[in-house]
Amino acid sequence: MEHISFPPLSRVAICGGTHGNEMSGVYMVREMQKQKADQDGSLSLTTVLSNPRAVDACRRYIDKDLNRCFTEDLLSAPVTDSTPYELRRAQELNAQLGPKGSQEAVDLVCDLHNTTANMGLCLIFYSLDWITLHIYKYMKSKITSAPVRAIQLDIPVSEAYSLESVGKHGCAIEVGPQPGGVVRADIFNLVKEALDLTIEWLQGFNSGSTFEGGEVEVYTMVKSVDYPRDPTTNEITAAIHPELQDNDFKLLRPGDPMFLKFSGEAVKHEGEELYPFFINECAYYEKKIACHLGKKSNITLPSASVMKN
Amino acid sequence: MSGVTLVNLWVKNSAEIQRKRVETKPFITNPKAVEKCTRYVDTDLNRAFSPENLSAPEGDDLPYEVQRAQEINRIFGPKGSPEAYDVIFDLHNTTSNMGCTLILESSKDHFNLQMMNYIKKAIAPASCLVLLNEHPLLKYSTSRSIAKHPVGLEVGPQPQGVLRSNIFEAMRVILKHALDFIELFNEGMEFPPCTVEVFWVSERIDYPRDANGNIIAMVHPNLQDCDWEPLNPGDPMFQTFDGKTIHYQGPGTVYPTFINEAAYYEKQQAFVITRRETLVASAIRKA
């Protein structure tokens, strides 16, 4: 079997409150800062409250979605008095944890998110990164209280717009369902377990363990579907159908109901069979997304260990 | 979002809410907040209908919601006067797992008790519970309190900003039965005495907090989503962020609800405690 080695991963950033109303990350970062968790064996941990103004207001963002501000263009744009808060903040975070693409960037950025969708625990990343995939494989083997899945966005890193793209390796840990502004103990405990396992894997990796390769299942986004809307007012005319609601990652076949109009008719899925996720995510109404649809595939992971010098 | 969506639907086409001999008016109480998809702009509208606010001199310097409360009082009130609307249905969602809940403000409102009895029987075997908030300190000045018979409809769980089909349709069905009741009443039907089980609000329980006011624990997984179920002394109530359990220490079994409502963190409320009581509603008939 193929084997791959990496230099040690010693600098890790845990970010919460990138969206100010996604409370697991907010409370996790605060708790870690209270416990003064900054050195853990071979790891130097940086905890960051990404969007403090949005956290104070308990809102997703103040001017602009922070988690769309990390493209190379936006990170290098000049800042003026009229620059939206989040663009400024993204540049600050890039200076602190990056710069993106450079040798000084932290080894791993873990960005904690919640979703109103019934997605369990998902690791979301851009391109196929063996480190994040190994962490995913490790989490999936140990966590029994919720399903653990991986979603790959398939966007080149230079166009990657979210916070975790600042680190040499990165992933978003997305856990749901949880309403905005609410902290659920079961969801918080799941996030904590995921973080503890991430740190455990990193410690193991840095101390020379070999992590076996193997097949892992990954979802890749294909497209998004918007709500049916009134053509003149643009207001939605249907809700996610009760048979689709909460059925993230359950195969959607042509003819399966997707939406239930307020007038009573069902709108069915047309086109190829795909896996829906981010079904009825609160923040996506304004992005014109009722759900994402994706394909499932198996990826063969090589075994991995730290480079010995 | 259920109330917003239903009212917008009915403003466009009110056929569904028309009944003989009843004037029904669909109304968006806080349009600025709806536009921003936020609970409120300056202050909680559903706490703004106090006598002080309603009688305050009008002015643009007043918080938006106080101005709006005064306007609503002019349209549907004045509160306490014979000109006030007979009934206001106030449509709400909650992040708590409360199912369909009707909120009553007075244990002596026999018309409302009869309506709630009618609704409960009409939707059976589906459940619709009645929450009574008549507590002298915990009762608050709601928009519906303008009317002679205020009826709160609270349906959850639903995250803020999200429209769930099942929650939307449940609220729609409750309103349908409520309006049917009013129509029957207006046609002269007599409703004989009946008993109605209510959950009577007795106490508000806050999160444990530190000296800075930050919460230091979350609703315990054993209590989360268990609205209306008995909470016994010694049962887990909160879990701290570092994993410790805090137990309920009250004197007896209580019935918690509004467990982990998003909007209540800032109101110092993790959940509210109720006791189960049976109220007797007198017979009613249109005069």
Side-chain angles (χ1 to χ4, degrees):
Chain A
M1 166 173 293
E2 219 193 301
H3 182 89
I4 198 156
S5 320
F6 292 90
L9 302 162
S10 51
R11 295 166 62 225
V12 178
I14 312 283
C15 304
T18 300
H19 294 132
N21 59 349
E22 294 175 16
M23 304 312 291
S24 305
V26 173
Y27 285 108
M28 183 61 63
V29 162
R30 281 197 188 147
E31 182 65 13
M32 290 177 79
Q33 288 175 348
K34 201 165 113 179
Q35 308 288 357
K36 301 203 196 314
D38 50 10
Q39 195 68 38
D40 195 330
S42 60
L43 294 178
S44 145
L45 292 173
T46 303
T47 49
V48 184
L49 200 64
S50 317
N51 195 338
R53 279 186 60 194
V55 170
D56 278 342
C58 198
R59 284 167 47 175
R60 181 177 176 83
Y61 57 81
I62 301 295
D63 296 328
K64 192 177 153 54
D65 189 338
L66 177 60
N67 218 26
R68 301 292 182 276
C69 292
F70 292 90
T71 62
E72 280 169 7
D73 283 347
L74 289 174
L75 288 176
S76 52
V79 167
T80 67
D81 283 340
S82 60
T83 302
Y85 168 70
E86 277 87 3
L87 282 178
R88 249 188 273 235
R89 184 65 186 139
Q91 295 194 0
E92 276 170 30
L93 289 165
N94 189 42
Q96 183 185 358
L97 306 177
K100 173 166 162 169
S102 76
Q103 276 313 299
E104 288 77 49
V106 296
D107 296 306
L108 179 69
V109 170
C110 258
D111 190 19
L112 306 177
H113 285 266
N114 292 119
T115 174
T116 56
N118 186 28
M119 287 169 66
L121 173 60
C122 281
L123 265 68
I124 306 181
F125 38 79
Y126 286 100
S127 43
L128 294 181
D129 176 324
W130 302 132
I131 297 290
T132 3
L133 281 167
H134 263 285
I135 292 172
Y136 159 58
K137 182 170 184 282
Y138 190 72
M139 270 192 213
K140 204 172 155 80
S141 70
K142 304 263 181 175
I143 292 179
T144 51
S145 57
V148 179
R149 300 184 181 92
I151 300 173
Q152 189 224 336
L153 295 178
D154 215 8
I155 300 174
V157 171
S158 58
E159 285 162 47
Y161 45 71
S162 46
L163 172 55
E164 76 276 6
S165 68
V166 172
K168 294 196 181 98
H169 306 274
C171 66
I173 297 181
E174 183 89 54
V175 188
Q178 182 171 267
V182 160
V183 62
R184 286 181 64 104
D186 54 358
I187 299 286
F188 179 89
N189 293 342
L190 181 56
V191 172
K192 178 161 197 312
E193 197 182 351
L195 271 183
D196 286 347
L197 289 169
T198 299
I199 288 171
E200 202 174 281
W201 187 90
L202 289 164
Q203 303 281 32
F205 176 83
N206 287 342
S207 65
S209 305
T210 297
F211 290 93
E212 231 177 70
E215 293 249 302
V216 288
E217 203 174 72
V218 170
Y219 293 87
T220 309
M221 192 176 128
V222 167
K223 63 181 187 182
S224 311
V225 181
D226 190 11
Y227 291 94
R229 288 177 191 268
D230 179 304
T232 31
T233 62
N234 216 35
E235 285 181 10
I236 66 172
T237 55
I240 295 277
H241 197 279
E243 284 177 37
L244 176 58
Q245 179 70 54
D246 302 334
N247 282 321
D248 299 69
F249 302 105
K250 182 167 168 225
L251 186 65
L252 188 67
R253 300 188 159 91
D256 284 347
M258 276 195 87
F259 299 103
L260 183 60
K261 289 189 149 177
F262 306 142
S263 52
E265 323 132 49
V267 177
K268 301 189 167 117
H269 172 59
E270 285 160 20
E272 53 178 324
E273 344 184 290
L274 288 168
Y275 293 88
F277 51 92
F278 276 117
I279 299 172
N280 209 346
E281 158 55 47
C282 172
Y284 288 177
Y285 282 72
E286 71 175 17
K287 298 190 202 291
K288 311 250 186 293
I289 296 168
C291 70
H292 289 321
L293 294 174
K295 287 191 149 95
K296 186 165 69 163
S297 53
N298 282 329
I299 294 184
T300 308
L301 266 191
S303 60
S305 61
V306 73
M307 236 175 233
K308 293 179 168 68
N309 47 344
Chain B
M1 298 306 296
S2 309
V4 171
T5 309
L6 280 170
V7 166
N8 281 338
L9 215 64
W10 294 329
V11 163
K12 278 211 254 333
N13 182 352
S14 64
E16 202 177 314
I17 55 170
Q18 304 287 19
R19 298 291 190 280
K20 290 199 285 287
R21 285 184 281 266
V22 187
E23 180 201 316
T24 47
K25 194 170 163 131
F27 188 80
I28 295 280
T29 30
N30 197 337
K32 270 199 187 168
V34 168
E35 204 187 298
K36 292 172 150 208
C37 199
T38 185
R39 180 177 173 89
Y40 57 81
V41 174
D42 296 326
T43 185
D44 192 337
L45 179 60
N46 219 27
R47 304 289 182 277
F49 288 79
S50 62
E52 302 74 43
N53 279 349
L54 294 180
S55 58
E58 291 170 41
D60 287 336
D61 51 317
L62 288 175
Y64 167 71
E65 277 86 3
V66 174
Q67 292 185 47
R68 189 65 184 149
Q70 293 181 343
E71 199 181 333
I72 290 170
N73 192 38
R74 280 192 290 277
I75 300 172
F76 298 108
K79 180 167 167 172
S81 77
E83 291 80 49
Y85 264 56
D86 296 301
V87 184
I88 288 181
F89 293 106
D90 189 15
L91 309 181
H92 288 267
N93 291 119
T94 174
T95 57
S96 305
N97 188 27
M98 287 167 72
C100 294
T101 303
L102 292 164
I103 307 185
L104 188 59
E105 298 196 354
S106 159
S107 55
K108 298 175 185 52
D109 189 335
H110 294 275
F111 178 83
N112 270 359
L113 280 166
Q114 288 281 2
M115 183 199 294
M116 293 181 181
N117 178 58
Y118 178 89
I119 293 169
K120 281 161 74 87
K121 296 220 156 43
I123 74 164
S127 145
C128 186
L129 299 177
V130 177
L131 179 69
L132 169 59
N133 193 355
E134 202 175 33
H135 192 290
L137 297 171
L138 299 181
K139 185 166 182 161
Y140 45 86
S141 309
T142 55
S143 49
R144 57 187 178 265
S145 66
I146 298 287
K148 294 173 185 142
H149 303 285
V151 180
L153 262 77
E154 188 84 53
V155 188
Q158 181 171 269
Q160 295 171 351
V162 162
L163 184 72
R164 285 181 68 101
S165 186
N166 60 336
I167 301 284
F168 170 81
E169 295 294 341
M171 188 181 276
R172 199 177 194 175
V173 164
I174 293 179
L175 237 331
K176 172 201 143 23
H177 292 306
L179 292 172
D180 288 346
F181 170 84
I182 294 175
E183 185 175 50
L184 289 169
F185 175 83
N186 282 346
E187 283 172 357
M189 181 180 277
E190 169 152 0
F191 294 89
C194 66
T195 57
V196 183
E197 184 181 61
V198 303
F199 289 82
W200 201 315
V201 173
S202 59
E203 201 183 340
R204 163 197 298 158
I205 305 291
D206 190 14
Y207 293 95
R209 291 175 190 270
D210 64 17
N212 297 324
N214 296 316
I215 67 168
I216 55 173
M218 310 165 275
V219 170
H220 194 279
N222 288 23
L223 177 58
Q224 178 69 53
D225 300 336
C226 293
D227 298 67
W228 314 115
E229 290 174 35
L231 179 69
N232 304 302
D235 284 351
M237 191 170 54
F238 295 110
Q239 183 210 297
T240 63
F241 293 110
D242 59 354
K244 300 200 222 350
T245 299
I246 297 171
H247 302 268
Y248 177 61
Q249 308 279 23
T253 297
V254 291
Y255 296 84
T257 193
F258 271 120
I259 299 173
N260 207 347
E261 158 53 51
Y264 290 172
Y265 284 69
E266 70 175 22
K267 296 193 198 302
Q268 281 80 52
Q269 185 176 307
F271 57 93
V272 89
I273 267 175
T274 70
R275 55 180 204 272
R276 283 172 90 147
E277 301 262 347
T278 302
L279 296 182
V280 178
S282 315
I284 60 165
R285 185 154 89 173
K286 185 181 88 159

